[in-house]
Amino acid sequence: MTSARPKIDFDAKIPNNVDLASDRKLQRALERWQPNFLDWWGDMGPAVDTKDVYLRTAVDVGREGWAHFDHVPMNEYRWGVFLSEHDPDRKIAFGEHKGEPVWQEVPGEYRADLQRLIVIQGDTEPASVEQQRFLGATAPSLYDMRNLFQVNVEEGRHLWAMVYLLHAYFGRAGREEADQLLARNSGSDESPRILGAFNEETPDWLSFYMFTYFTDRDGKYQLGTLKESGFDPLSRTCEFMLKEEAHHMFVGTTGIDRVVTRTAQLMNEHDSEDVAGAGGIPLDMIQKYINFHYTVSLDLFGNESSTNAANYFTAGLKGRWQEERRKDDHVLTDDAGAVDAVREGRITTTEVPALLALNQDLRSEYMGDCSNGLKRWNRILEKHGIDRRLSLPHVGFNRHVGAFSDAHITPEGRVVSEAEWKAQESRWLPTEVDKTHVRGLMHPVLEPGKIASWIAPPNNGINDKPVDYEYVHFN
Amino acid sequence: MLDKGRTTTVTVLDEAPATAQVPAPQEPQVDFDTDPSRYRHWRYEVEGETAWVYLDVAEDGGLVPGYELKLNSYDLGVDIELYDLTQRLRFSHPEVRSVVLTSGKDSNFCAGANIRMLAQSSHSWKVNFCKFTNETRNGIEDMTAHSGQTWVAALNGTAAGGGYEMALACETILLVNDRSSAVALPEVPLLGVLPGTGGLTRVTDKRHVRKDRADIFATKSEGFQGPKAVEWKLVDETVSRKQWDATVRERAAEAAASSSRPTGATGIALPPLQREVTEDAIRYPNVRCEIDRDARTATITVLGPEAGTVPESLERIHALGADFWPLAMTRELDDLILRLRTNELEIGTWLVKTRGSIEGALAFERVIAEHSASDWLVNEIRHYFKRTLKRLDVTSRSLIALIEPGSCFAGALLELALACDRQYMLEGTFEDADEEQDPAQLVLTASNFGAFPMGNGLTRLQSRFWGDDETLAALEPGTRLTGAQAEEAGLVTDAPDDIDYEDEIRILLEERASLSPDALTGMEANHRFVGPETMETRIFGRLTAWQNWIFIRPNASGAEGALRRYGTGRKADFDRKRV
């Protein structure tokens, strides 16, 4: 296998490794879009007034180091277009085009579907920046504030990645869609983001960690399936985005680590589960936030049985998680799969053609991945000598999309009546009282090295810097 | 809270689990009776001069098992309710001057006809479904044109396929501008069939979209959002969410302002029809149908009014309401046509008769003529009979009028005979009749010269004598003709006397029953619509005929065709030859 390493042009107005300089038309189009993006960032990006932030900037796509760290003013962040390395021998790995060389241009036949996939993915990237716009004002430490902004600028870069594809490969319709990505806004009455979950505000930092752990992880799985795409530019774009996405999930994982650690400390100090009065977040509440964010993210995978997912697979547009490592024919026309179903008040499964079961397949992969976090957090509890354990609720709990959406299922997986479910809802999902308590803890801590009462400090700083490093400078 | 999965797309027509592998369930006998208390898919609220009509389809409310009506997609059951709803707005709500058609769902307006339903349906079911939905869309346009109830489509989400076609039947189309919602006709690119409920036709003929743009629109599965849709004339206006409610109200009020409907009028109730159904007969108070399954014929007899029962005043007509003979008879005939068309596929020839007093029929005729211009109810009844005649015109059965002693083919009822493919009239009387008879007569009235135009915009007489102005000019309102005279005037096919009549008819029917039903359907449809094309004839002729051809082609309905493959995740395998 040969591998071509695309040259990075970091001095260009738009940093890139796609040889933008030689494509004047595309360059002009993107340069026209750039000021709109900056306006959007100014209007909808982080609301905290900072001088500069210690950020990592993508400068390469290679294995031996791809990022550069420095203090940069956020609006001067070098958002660029980076595709992972090009493999000239790459073949389509699945569907009816299996074995054919990957496409370097959009096949006309799949223009509409590919454009739609990219628009839906692209719409989520700026959405999360908008959702998190006001969080910086209540950051529990400069370290956390920096992490938030790192996530934000990289979501911005992911938007660039999708916009590049729309501009480069989808003609005028693509350019119009690129404009719409900035015109829709999270939570807007006028023109909301496409997916419901991305119109919810992220009101507090516990929600932010949960979002980066659970909802960004959905993003990871979606990107993972697009990385398999027969449309090579999309595949290479997503492969590189996944590298950045890993940090977002790190923020979520370690964020929840630290909340659990602090809660455990407070429990031991006060010899009580009720650490709310001591300025902590009780385990019950953490469990409720897990229940909410996990189930909302499960909904993002769509219906258990999906025609669209099947069509995308057959066409070679969107594969399965780790498609090439799977040991089957990668065509799936003769296979069957079981999808969740609720029949006569019982949770069961229905057999459908395997092609239609791809959403459930991806969701199962995701669920397995999510459970790793629970193991971590429970180890922390164990280390502190606490018997209580956190857990993931049953897949059917609190679902609004798919087979479980009409049923009422407890976190333990019992089908109950609507009345019974409603009666216990406040034990399972965050109540107004819980949310008020968590919001009440959100006070900014802006002194380097200091940390809010409800969360433990991180074990390490960023890029080998100390924890008390001045990650953010203010005006 | 979350309301959409990540795989939701604008253009998908339906996202139900695949059951295409399962053999299609037995198609049921269809009943067209319903009323607002039984609606599962629609609701309407009358607010002042405007009726707000909400499409809110129950997913588990399909007429046939095997599919879920996701994304506000529809099947025949949904459309039966829509038809009922239009009739109630016309007759029971004279105060309504504009109608807003919108979606009761948050997520979209309507995804069109349910694809799994189409995929699992037999050819005849699809064709009957399309015909009925087309008639209802035409009826909506007729309401705007003649009933003073103007329809405004308020697309509060994406309208795809049949959803957009429903909007096209409205006078004005508004589309919300939320940077996601679109109008689209994705049938060609996604399903390998046509937007067959008037979509292709109305885009060019009604909205005057240029043909090259229409071509792009009908092959672009995701369609266009508000601003572009306005620029291309696919919708009239696109409105932000903030301005939406106010603007829709404004447009509804403007539409109401130009209405001819009276103020302060009281509607009439449309109670359930009295219908007795046996193995081989369907009987209503004013319409009878006897089925001869061996001969594959149905004899439909419309019973005229009794002489002397004509109401003396307009007040009395309103008091009678649904019992007023012209309305009662039309409702029954309409129901009968629908039931026979849908449930009696092998009954290929309908014999159309009338029985009653000619003077009685003429008396009613005069009342209608006198008030139809000034009274909303009488006007409605006239247009209802017009639409029912149009149903006959597009019915794929051989229609034979038998004009015999005791019949009352006068004026409006004569249109029934003129709608038929052939007319046989007995000259003289039946010699061995039990009672004494007067010879049959045909009576021409003003009704035959413009009150009940066909879909081609011509009267049935103009269609009959297309290009023969001389014969047409010789006909005058008020003329009464016996068999020989009617034959001479060209109004009947043949007028045999008692000696030949029964044999003629028997041989005709036996011969007819031996011919190919498909060829007959095509031949009759060609003969019935002469002369100019209108949007209606283009929908029933061009669009429907092409659609029905496409439906039976392997590229659509073969095991590897687009319609059958839809929802399996596998792509259609086309025969690439253009034919």
Side-chain angles (χ1 to χ4, degrees), chain A residues 381-422:
Chain A
L381 293 175
E382 195 181 348
K383 231 169 60 190
H384 284 80
I386 291 168
D387 295 335
R388 269 287 304 273
R389 294 291 176 265
L390 297 165
S391 59
L392 290 177
H394 186 269
V395 62
F397 171 70
N398 190 40
R399 295 291 302 281
H400 299 273
V401 171
F404 298 113
S405 57
D406 292 331
H408 294 88
I409 297 170
T410 68
E412 295 76 37
R414 215 156 46 79
V415 183
V416 295
S417 71
E418 182 175 1
E420 193 177 335
W421 197 91
K422 288 275 177 212

Short mmCIF file of all heavy atoms in Angstrom, two decimals, chain A residues 381-422:
data_model
loop_
_atom_site.label_atom_id
_atom_site.label_comp_id
_atom_site.label_asym_id
_atom_site.label_seq_id
_atom_site.Cartn_x
_atom_site.Cartn_y
_atom_site.Cartn_z
N LEU A 381 -15.52 5.20 42.65
CA LEU A 381 -16.34 5.02 43.86
C LEU A 381 -15.74 3.91 44.73
O LEU A 381 -15.64 4.04 45.95
CB LEU A 381 -17.79 4.67 43.46
CG LEU A 381 -18.57 5.80 42.77
CD1 LEU A 381 -19.94 5.30 42.31
CD2 LEU A 381 -18.72 7.01 43.70
N GLU A 382 -15.34 2.84 44.08
CA GLU A 382 -14.76 1.72 44.80
C GLU A 382 -13.51 2.14 45.56
O GLU A 382 -13.32 1.81 46.73
CB GLU A 382 -14.43 0.60 43.79
CG GLU A 382 -14.17 -0.73 44.43
CD GLU A 382 -13.83 -1.80 43.37
OE1 GLU A 382 -14.01 -1.54 42.16
OE2 GLU A 382 -13.37 -2.87 43.78
N LYS A 383 -12.65 2.91 44.84
CA LYS A 383 -11.41 3.38 45.46
C LYS A 383 -11.68 4.22 46.70
O LYS A 383 -10.91 4.24 47.64
CB LYS A 383 -10.62 4.22 44.44
CG LYS A 383 -9.18 3.76 44.32
CD LYS A 383 -8.49 4.41 43.12
CE LYS A 383 -8.45 5.93 43.22
NZ LYS A 383 -7.98 6.56 41.96
N HIS A 384 -12.79 4.93 46.69
CA HIS A 384 -13.15 5.75 47.84
C HIS A 384 -13.94 4.97 48.88
O HIS A 384 -14.49 5.55 49.81
CB HIS A 384 -13.94 6.99 47.39
CG HIS A 384 -13.07 8.04 46.76
ND1 HIS A 384 -12.64 7.97 45.46
CD2 HIS A 384 -12.52 9.18 47.27
CE1 HIS A 384 -11.89 9.02 45.17
NE2 HIS A 384 -11.79 9.77 46.26
N GLY A 385 -14.08 3.68 48.67
CA GLY A 385 -14.76 2.84 49.65
C GLY A 385 -16.26 3.05 49.68
O GLY A 385 -16.91 2.84 50.70
N ILE A 386 -16.82 3.46 48.54
CA ILE A 386 -18.27 3.70 48.49
C ILE A 386 -18.94 2.54 47.76
O ILE A 386 -18.45 2.09 46.70
CB ILE A 386 -18.55 5.05 47.81
CG1 ILE A 386 -18.07 6.17 48.74
CG2 ILE A 386 -20.02 5.20 47.46
CD1 ILE A 386 -18.01 7.51 48.10
N ASP A 387 -20.05 2.04 48.31
CA ASP A 387 -20.70 0.85 47.75
C ASP A 387 -21.63 1.17 46.58
O ASP A 387 -21.89 0.32 45.75
CB ASP A 387 -21.51 0.14 48.84
CG ASP A 387 -20.59 -0.41 49.92
OD1 ASP A 387 -19.40 -0.66 49.59
OD2 ASP A 387 -21.05 -0.57 51.07
N ARG A 388 -22.16 2.37 46.58
CA ARG A 388 -23.09 2.72 45.50
C ARG A 388 -22.40 2.62 44.14
O ARG A 388 -21.21 2.90 44.02
CB ARG A 388 -23.57 4.18 45.67
CG ARG A 388 -24.84 4.39 46.48
CD ARG A 388 -26.09 3.96 45.74
NE ARG A 388 -26.30 4.60 44.45
CZ ARG A 388 -26.92 5.76 44.28
NH1 ARG A 388 -27.38 6.43 45.32
NH2 ARG A 388 -27.09 6.26 43.08
N ARG A 389 -23.17 2.26 43.11
CA ARG A 389 -22.61 2.20 41.75
C ARG A 389 -23.51 2.97 40.79
O ARG A 389 -24.73 3.00 40.96
CB ARG A 389 -22.49 0.74 41.28
CG ARG A 389 -21.48 -0.10 42.07
CD ARG A 389 -20.05 0.34 41.80
NE ARG A 389 -19.10 -0.40 42.62
CZ ARG A 389 -18.62 0.01 43.80
NH1 ARG A 389 -19.02 1.18 44.31
NH2 ARG A 389 -17.74 -0.71 44.47
N LEU A 390 -22.88 3.55 39.79
CA LEU A 390 -23.64 4.20 38.71
C LEU A 390 -23.88 3.18 37.60
O LEU A 390 -23.11 2.23 37.46
CB LEU A 390 -22.85 5.39 38.16
CG LEU A 390 -22.60 6.53 39.17
CD1 LEU A 390 -21.52 7.48 38.66
CD2 LEU A 390 -23.90 7.28 39.47
N SER A 391 -24.91 3.39 36.82
CA SER A 391 -25.19 2.43 35.74
C SER A 391 -25.86 3.11 34.56
O SER A 391 -26.40 4.21 34.68
CB SER A 391 -26.10 1.33 36.27
OG SER A 391 -27.30 1.91 36.74
N LEU A 392 -25.83 2.44 33.43
CA LEU A 392 -26.58 2.89 32.25
C LEU A 392 -27.99 2.34 32.35
O LEU A 392 -28.18 1.17 32.67
CB LEU A 392 -25.94 2.37 30.97
CG LEU A 392 -24.59 2.96 30.56
CD1 LEU A 392 -24.09 2.26 29.30
CD2 LEU A 392 -24.70 4.46 30.31
N PRO A 393 -29.00 3.17 32.07
CA PRO A 393 -30.36 2.64 32.08
C PRO A 393 -30.59 1.71 30.90
O PRO A 393 -29.81 1.68 29.94
CB PRO A 393 -31.23 3.90 31.96
CG PRO A 393 -30.37 4.89 31.25
CD PRO A 393 -28.95 4.59 31.70
N HIS A 394 -31.68 0.98 30.97
CA HIS A 394 -32.08 0.08 29.87
C HIS A 394 -32.27 0.88 28.57
O HIS A 394 -32.69 2.04 28.61
CB HIS A 394 -33.40 -0.61 30.26
CG HIS A 394 -33.83 -1.65 29.27
ND1 HIS A 394 -34.66 -1.36 28.20
CD2 HIS A 394 -33.55 -2.96 29.18
CE1 HIS A 394 -34.86 -2.46 27.50
NE2 HIS A 394 -34.21 -3.46 28.08
N VAL A 395 -31.96 0.25 27.46
CA VAL A 395 -32.03 0.92 26.16
C VAL A 395 -33.44 1.46 25.85
O VAL A 395 -33.61 2.41 25.09
CB VAL A 395 -31.55 -0.05 25.03
CG1 VAL A 395 -32.47 -1.26 24.96
CG2 VAL A 395 -31.49 0.66 23.68
N GLY A 396 -34.44 0.88 26.47
CA GLY A 396 -35.81 1.32 26.17
C GLY A 396 -36.28 2.46 27.04
O GLY A 396 -37.36 3.02 26.81
N PHE A 397 -35.48 2.83 28.03
CA PHE A 397 -35.90 3.87 28.98
C PHE A 397 -35.92 5.26 28.32
O PHE A 397 -34.97 5.62 27.62
CB PHE A 397 -34.96 3.85 30.18
CG PHE A 397 -35.16 5.00 31.13
CD1 PHE A 397 -36.31 5.08 31.91
CD2 PHE A 397 -34.22 6.03 31.23
CE1 PHE A 397 -36.51 6.16 32.77
CE2 PHE A 397 -34.40 7.09 32.09
CZ PHE A 397 -35.55 7.16 32.86
N ASN A 398 -37.00 6.01 28.53
CA ASN A 398 -37.07 7.42 28.14
C ASN A 398 -36.75 7.67 26.68
O ASN A 398 -36.06 8.61 26.32
CB ASN A 398 -36.10 8.25 29.02
CG ASN A 398 -36.30 9.76 28.82
OD1 ASN A 398 -37.44 10.21 28.72
ND2 ASN A 398 -35.22 10.51 28.77
N ARG A 399 -37.28 6.82 25.81
CA ARG A 399 -36.97 6.97 24.39
C ARG A 399 -38.10 7.67 23.66
O ARG A 399 -39.26 7.45 23.95
CB ARG A 399 -36.69 5.58 23.78
CG ARG A 399 -35.44 4.92 24.37
CD ARG A 399 -34.18 5.64 23.92
NE ARG A 399 -34.13 5.64 22.47
CZ ARG A 399 -33.75 4.60 21.75
NH1 ARG A 399 -33.37 3.49 22.31
NH2 ARG A 399 -33.74 4.68 20.44
N HIS A 400 -37.71 8.49 22.69
CA HIS A 400 -38.71 9.23 21.93
C HIS A 400 -38.65 8.94 20.44
O HIS A 400 -39.40 9.49 19.65
CB HIS A 400 -38.56 10.73 22.18
CG HIS A 400 -38.77 11.08 23.62
ND1 HIS A 400 -40.01 11.35 24.14
CD2 HIS A 400 -37.90 11.13 24.66
CE1 HIS A 400 -39.90 11.57 25.43
NE2 HIS A 400 -38.63 11.45 25.78
N VAL A 401 -37.71 8.10 20.06
CA VAL A 401 -37.58 7.71 18.66
C VAL A 401 -37.50 6.18 18.63
O VAL A 401 -36.82 5.60 19.46
CB VAL A 401 -36.30 8.31 18.03
CG1 VAL A 401 -36.04 7.73 16.65
CG2 VAL A 401 -36.39 9.83 17.95
N GLY A 402 -38.20 5.58 17.71
CA GLY A 402 -38.03 4.16 17.47
C GLY A 402 -38.98 3.27 18.25
O GLY A 402 -40.01 3.71 18.76
N ALA A 403 -38.59 2.00 18.34
CA ALA A 403 -39.49 0.94 18.81
C ALA A 403 -39.99 1.18 20.23
O ALA A 403 -41.09 0.74 20.59
CB ALA A 403 -38.76 -0.40 18.75
N PHE A 404 -39.20 1.85 21.05
CA PHE A 404 -39.59 2.00 22.45
C PHE A 404 -40.38 3.29 22.70
O PHE A 404 -40.80 3.56 23.82
CB PHE A 404 -38.35 2.02 23.35
CG PHE A 404 -37.57 0.73 23.29
CD1 PHE A 404 -36.29 0.70 22.73
CD2 PHE A 404 -38.11 -0.45 23.79
CE1 PHE A 404 -35.58 -0.48 22.68
CE2 PHE A 404 -37.40 -1.63 23.74
CZ PHE A 404 -36.12 -1.65 23.18
N SER A 405 -40.53 4.10 21.65
CA SER A 405 -41.03 5.46 21.90
C SER A 405 -42.46 5.47 22.43
O SER A 405 -42.84 6.42 23.11
CB SER A 405 -40.91 6.31 20.64
OG SER A 405 -41.61 5.71 19.59
N ASP A 406 -43.23 4.44 22.13
CA ASP A 406 -44.61 4.43 22.62
C ASP A 406 -44.77 3.69 23.95
O ASP A 406 -45.83 3.70 24.55
CB ASP A 406 -45.56 3.79 21.59
CG ASP A 406 -45.68 4.66 20.36
OD1 ASP A 406 -45.54 5.89 20.50
OD2 ASP A 406 -45.89 4.11 19.27
N ALA A 407 -43.70 3.03 24.38
CA ALA A 407 -43.80 2.23 25.60
C ALA A 407 -43.25 3.01 26.78
O ALA A 407 -42.51 3.98 26.61
CB ALA A 407 -43.03 0.93 25.43
N HIS A 408 -43.61 2.60 27.97
CA HIS A 408 -43.05 3.20 29.18
C HIS A 408 -42.22 2.15 29.89
O HIS A 408 -42.75 1.15 30.37
CB HIS A 408 -44.18 3.73 30.07
CG HIS A 408 -44.89 4.87 29.43
ND1 HIS A 408 -45.97 4.71 28.58
CD2 HIS A 408 -44.64 6.21 29.47
CE1 HIS A 408 -46.35 5.88 28.13
NE2 HIS A 408 -45.58 6.82 28.65
N ILE A 409 -40.93 2.40 29.91
CA ILE A 409 -40.00 1.38 30.38
C ILE A 409 -39.13 2.00 31.48
O ILE A 409 -38.67 3.13 31.36
CB ILE A 409 -39.14 0.88 29.20
CG1 ILE A 409 -40.05 0.21 28.16
CG2 ILE A 409 -38.05 -0.08 29.68
CD1 ILE A 409 -39.40 -0.11 26.87
N THR A 410 -38.94 1.24 32.54
CA THR A 410 -38.14 1.74 33.67
C THR A 410 -36.65 1.59 33.33
O THR A 410 -36.29 0.87 32.40
CB THR A 410 -38.42 0.93 34.95
OG1 THR A 410 -37.90 -0.40 34.74
CG2 THR A 410 -39.91 0.86 35.26
N PRO A 411 -35.78 2.27 34.08
CA PRO A 411 -34.34 2.12 33.83
C PRO A 411 -33.89 0.66 33.97
O PRO A 411 -32.88 0.26 33.40
CB PRO A 411 -33.70 2.99 34.91
CG PRO A 411 -34.73 4.01 35.24
CD PRO A 411 -36.05 3.30 35.10
N GLU A 412 -34.66 -0.15 34.71
CA GLU A 412 -34.28 -1.56 34.86
C GLU A 412 -34.80 -2.39 33.69
O GLU A 412 -34.48 -3.57 33.58
CB GLU A 412 -34.86 -2.15 36.15
CG GLU A 412 -34.31 -1.54 37.44
CD GLU A 412 -34.89 -0.17 37.74
OE1 GLU A 412 -36.09 0.05 37.48
OE2 GLU A 412 -34.14 0.72 38.19
N GLY A 413 -35.64 -1.79 32.83
CA GLY A 413 -36.12 -2.52 31.67
C GLY A 413 -37.46 -3.19 31.88
O GLY A 413 -37.80 -4.14 31.19
N ARG A 414 -38.25 -2.68 32.80
CA ARG A 414 -39.56 -3.23 33.03
C ARG A 414 -40.58 -2.36 32.29
O ARG A 414 -40.53 -1.14 32.36
CB ARG A 414 -39.87 -3.20 34.53
CG ARG A 414 -40.69 -4.36 35.06
CD ARG A 414 -40.46 -4.55 36.56
NE ARG A 414 -40.49 -3.29 37.30
CZ ARG A 414 -41.61 -2.66 37.66
NH1 ARG A 414 -42.79 -3.17 37.35
NH2 ARG A 414 -41.56 -1.53 38.32
N VAL A 415 -41.50 -2.99 31.56
CA VAL A 415 -42.56 -2.23 30.89
C VAL A 415 -43.66 -1.96 31.91
O VAL A 415 -44.17 -2.89 32.54
CB VAL A 415 -43.14 -3.02 29.70
CG1 VAL A 415 -44.18 -2.18 28.96
CG2 VAL A 415 -42.03 -3.43 28.74
N VAL A 416 -43.98 -0.69 32.08
CA VAL A 416 -45.00 -0.34 33.07
C VAL A 416 -46.04 0.57 32.42
O VAL A 416 -45.89 0.96 31.26
CB VAL A 416 -44.36 0.40 34.28
CG1 VAL A 416 -43.41 -0.51 35.04
CG2 VAL A 416 -43.65 1.68 33.84
N SER A 417 -47.06 0.90 33.16
CA SER A 417 -48.09 1.79 32.62
C SER A 417 -47.56 3.22 32.61
O SER A 417 -46.60 3.55 33.31
CB SER A 417 -49.33 1.72 33.50
OG SER A 417 -49.06 2.36 34.74
N GLU A 418 -48.22 4.05 31.81
CA GLU A 418 -47.80 5.44 31.73
C GLU A 418 -47.89 6.09 33.11
O GLU A 418 -46.99 6.83 33.52
CB GLU A 418 -48.68 6.21 30.73
CG GLU A 418 -48.24 7.65 30.58
CD GLU A 418 -49.01 8.42 29.50
OE1 GLU A 418 -49.90 7.81 28.87
OE2 GLU A 418 -48.72 9.61 29.33
N ALA A 419 -48.97 5.78 33.84
CA ALA A 419 -49.16 6.39 35.15
C ALA A 419 -48.03 6.01 36.11
O ALA A 419 -47.47 6.84 36.82
CB ALA A 419 -50.50 5.96 35.72
N GLU A 420 -47.69 4.72 36.07
CA GLU A 420 -46.63 4.25 36.96
C GLU A 420 -45.30 4.92 36.61
O GLU A 420 -44.52 5.31 37.49
CB GLU A 420 -46.51 2.73 36.83
CG GLU A 420 -45.66 2.11 37.92
CD GLU A 420 -45.61 0.58 37.80
OE1 GLU A 420 -46.56 -0.01 37.21
OE2 GLU A 420 -44.63 -0.01 38.24
N TRP A 421 -45.07 5.06 35.31
CA TRP A 421 -43.81 5.66 34.85
C TRP A 421 -43.75 7.12 35.30
O TRP A 421 -42.76 7.58 35.86
CB TRP A 421 -43.72 5.55 33.33
CG TRP A 421 -42.34 5.76 32.77
CD1 TRP A 421 -41.42 4.78 32.54
CD2 TRP A 421 -41.74 6.99 32.38
NE1 TRP A 421 -40.27 5.35 32.03
CE2 TRP A 421 -40.43 6.70 31.92
CE3 TRP A 421 -42.17 8.32 32.38
CZ2 TRP A 421 -39.56 7.68 31.45
CZ3 TRP A 421 -41.30 9.31 31.92
CH2 TRP A 421 -40.00 8.99 31.47
N LYS A 422 -44.85 7.83 35.05
CA LYS A 422 -44.90 9.25 35.41
C LYS A 422 -44.68 9.44 36.92
O LYS A 422 -44.03 10.40 37.34
CB LYS A 422 -46.25 9.86 35.01
CG LYS A 422 -46.41 10.04 33.50
CD LYS A 422 -45.80 11.35 33.04
CE LYS A 422 -45.88 11.50 31.52
NZ LYS A 422 -44.77 12.24 30.95
#
